[in-house]
Amino acid sequence: MNTVKNVTVISLVDQIAADFTQVARLAGVELPNTAIIVEKLPAPHFPPQKLPVGKVAVYVFARGDQTLKVGKVGTKSHARYTSQHYNAGSATSTLAASILSDAGAHSLNPDDLVGMGSWIRTNVDRVNFLIDESYGRHVLALLEAFIQCKLEPKYEGFKSQAGTA
């Protein structure tokens, strides 16, 4: 397991961004040190209002030292980036739906179940890794995969994929 216990995920993200520039270099992509913009949104947080023009992103939701979800968005995925993860019924594989299906692990009360978006904003940290879309979809996919490997999110993929290689 790659996660470091007793260290918040949000405290690791600057090093993750720096490490990724080395990974990209191994893949033949030169990224300047300023290529990745890291936005740290500790709980309680406000979701981003929009994906900046010309940017793509990998986002991370974490609670303390536990990474909950890692995902990526392209330039046409504004709703996925800004709102879908805060609403269980908005799309497939949202953070809200994953937490609701695992409510016991988060000690949720009935009010939390009704106001899942509010619970996420209040209790979950969010980090956005933004890069220029000009780097292409392969670099975005590599960044997402690298962060998933580093942080091992609890809610990733589908239950039917669990334990598959």
Side-chain angles (χ1 to χ4, degrees):
M1 177 176 264
N2 293 329
T3 37
V4 179
K5 293 299 176 189
N6 300 319
V7 175
T8 63
V9 170
I10 208 163
S11 69
L12 301 172
V13 297
D14 291 323
Q15 186 60 51
I16 289 170
D19 291 347
F20 181 73
T21 61
Q22 298 299 318
V23 170
R25 187 169 294 118
L26 290 171
V29 178
E30 289 296 324
L31 294 177
N33 291 338
T34 58
I36 302 172
I37 298 167
V38 178
E39 293 180 338
K40 298 176 190 176
L41 306 173
H45 73 269
F46 290 102
Q49 296 295 307
K50 64 180 183 170
L51 183 62
V53 174
K55 299 290 186 188
V56 293
V58 172
Y59 52 83
V60 176
F61 290 100
R63 194 166 182 214
D65 65 355
Q66 183 178 46
T67 302
L68 301 176
K69 186 140 189 80
V70 174
K72 70 176 186 266
V73 293
T75 57
K76 297 181 180 175
S77 302
H78 292 278
R80 188 74 171 165
Y81 184 68
T82 61
S83 61
Q84 287 180 350
H85 283 290
Y86 300 87
N87 181 351
S90 64
T92 58
S93 187
T94 64
L95 177 62
S98 296
I99 290 172
L100 284 172
S101 71
D102 192 22
H106 299 283
S107 303
L108 300 177
N109 65 49
D111 290 337
D112 296 330
L113 299 176
V114 173
M116 182 49 52
S118 177
W119 187 89
I120 291 170
R121 289 186 300 274
T122 302
N123 295 283
V124 176
D125 300 327
R126 178 176 174 150
V127 177
N128 302 315
F129 294 84
L130 297 149
I131 60 172
D132 287 338
E133 70 176 312
S134 64
Y135 287 112
R137 62 186 171 91
H138 297 297
V139 173
L140 179 64
L142 183 61
L143 178 58
E144 179 190 32
F146 177 71
I147 293 172
Q148 287 173 340
C149 285
K150 291 290 282 187
L151 298 179
E152 297 180 356
K154 181 175 183 174
Y155 305 120
E156 206 54 55
F158 301 96
K159 288 182 182 178
S160 63
Q161 295 172 329
T164 61

